[in-house]
Amino acid sequence: NAGVTQTPKFQVLKTGQSMTLQCAQDMNHEYMSWYRQDPGMGLRLIHYSVGAGITDQGEVPNGYNVSRSTTEDFPLRLLSAAPSQTSVYFCASRNRQANLYGYTFGSGTRLTVV
Amino acid sequence: TQLLEQSPQFLSIQEGENLTVYCNSSSVFSSLQWYRQEPGEGPVLLVTVVTGGEVKKLKRLTFQFGDARKDSSLHITAAQPGDTGLYLCAGTNFGNEKLTFGTGTRLTIIP
């Protein structure tokens, strides 16, 4: 199994540009989430989804959009990139009925906005 | 907003020593998870504790959930260089998928 796959691994954007971070999982997990990780601040939840067609905001949703048209995919869209969005982004998924097993994380996308 | 404070933020010790990392909050959580993250990778789940006072062991790692479910600790016995990494605690609440992460403890084991 590939687990959680994130693309791209690295990206440099200019301020004001838009882009989509891709996330796909092949484990048929219902729950998927996006986090950003900044130095000294741990991981902060951006958006999450409990199933196809259902999304909700996390702690830091401003400037980001998500959609969940299939169980496998959960893309994160940056509408107009800002330097404050420079961060490492992680996608994660878990099985709805496996609360004890926690989340499986992708290997991350390192985004720099100049 | 629920907060999880981890201490120490940085820890560097010699191989073979013991250590404890703490995860504290003023809020009650239904479960606490511990993850380890290595450079360039995502966090990997080590354990989940769900009952107040619960103790779980994973080889040389011992995890404890506080009686009031507001805090947790991770104790490593006879640390090895392979234990080096960023340790993160994360709390959940019933019926809520919002996982709250702690600030992390960066552990370095010196051979």
Side-chain angles (χ1 to χ4, degrees):
Chain A
N1 282 346
V4 178
T5 302
Q6 291 185 237
T7 56
K9 289 191 70 66
F10 301 93
Q11 183 71 50
V12 178
L13 287 179
K14 293 183 179 180
T15 297
Q17 286 185 319
S18 62
M19 79 159 294
T20 299
L21 279 62
Q22 302 292 343
C23 175
Q25 52 92 7
D26 60 359
M27 299 170 285
N28 203 33
H29 285 174
E30 295 90 346
Y31 293 169
M32 296 186 74
S33 300
W34 275 103
Y35 292 86
R36 59 178 289 173
Q37 186 172 32
D38 302 298
M41 299 191 72
L43 282 82
R44 293 182 292 169
L45 181 64
I46 304 172
H47 285 285
Y48 65 99
S49 170
V50 298
I54 306 170
T55 64
D56 205 347
Q57 296 181 350
E59 181 184 355
V60 287
N62 292 340
Y64 308 95
N65 272 357
V66 292
S67 60
R68 184 97 179 269
S69 57
T70 67
T71 299
E72 295 78 20
D73 300 300
F74 191 41
L76 178 71
R77 298 180 184 85
L78 278 69
L79 308 174
S80 177
S84 61
Q85 293 179 305
T86 293
S87 186
V88 182
Y89 291 84
F90 288 100
C91 179
S93 73
R94 80 165 180 90
N95 186 304
R96 177 172 59 89
Q97 295 180 329
N99 187 43
L100 289 181
Y101 299 139
Y103 273 87
T104 299
F105 282 80
S107 58
T109 294
R110 185 174 294 274
L111 175 68
T112 302
V113 182
V114 298
Chain B
T1 301
Q2 296 177 306
L3 296 175
L4 279 167
E5 299 282 345
Q6 287 186 241
S7 60
Q9 188 176 0
F10 299 94
L11 183 58
S12 182
I13 64 171
Q14 295 287 333
E15 181 178 358
E17 294 184 347
N18 302 332
L19 67 107
T20 301
V21 174
Y22 299 93
C23 174
N24 296 300
S25 176
S26 58
S27 303
V28 176
F29 291 95
S30 60
S31 71
L32 248 294
Q33 300 172 2
W34 283 92
Y35 292 81
R36 181 168 66 207
Q37 184 179 19
E38 299 191 13
E41 298 296 328
V44 175
L45 181 72
L46 296 173
V47 76
T48 301
V49 285
V50 296
T51 305
E54 181 177 4
V55 177
K56 280 191 175 179
K57 292 191 175 184
L58 186 66
K59 296 183 180 179
R60 295 175 294 99
L61 279 61
T62 301
F63 304 86
Q64 184 163 8
F65 200 12
D67 291 340
R69 294 158 72 160
K70 293 182 179 181
D71 54 84
S72 182
S73 64
L74 159 60
H75 182 78
I76 301 179
T77 303
Q80 299 179 0
D83 296 327
T84 292
L86 178 65
Y87 287 80
L88 296 159
C89 64
T92 65
N93 275 302
F94 289 115
N96 190 332
E97 268 307 298
K98 295 184 178 182
L99 190 62
T100 300
F101 276 87
T103 48
T105 293
R106 191 167 297 279
L107 175 64
T108 302
I109 308 301
I110 304 167

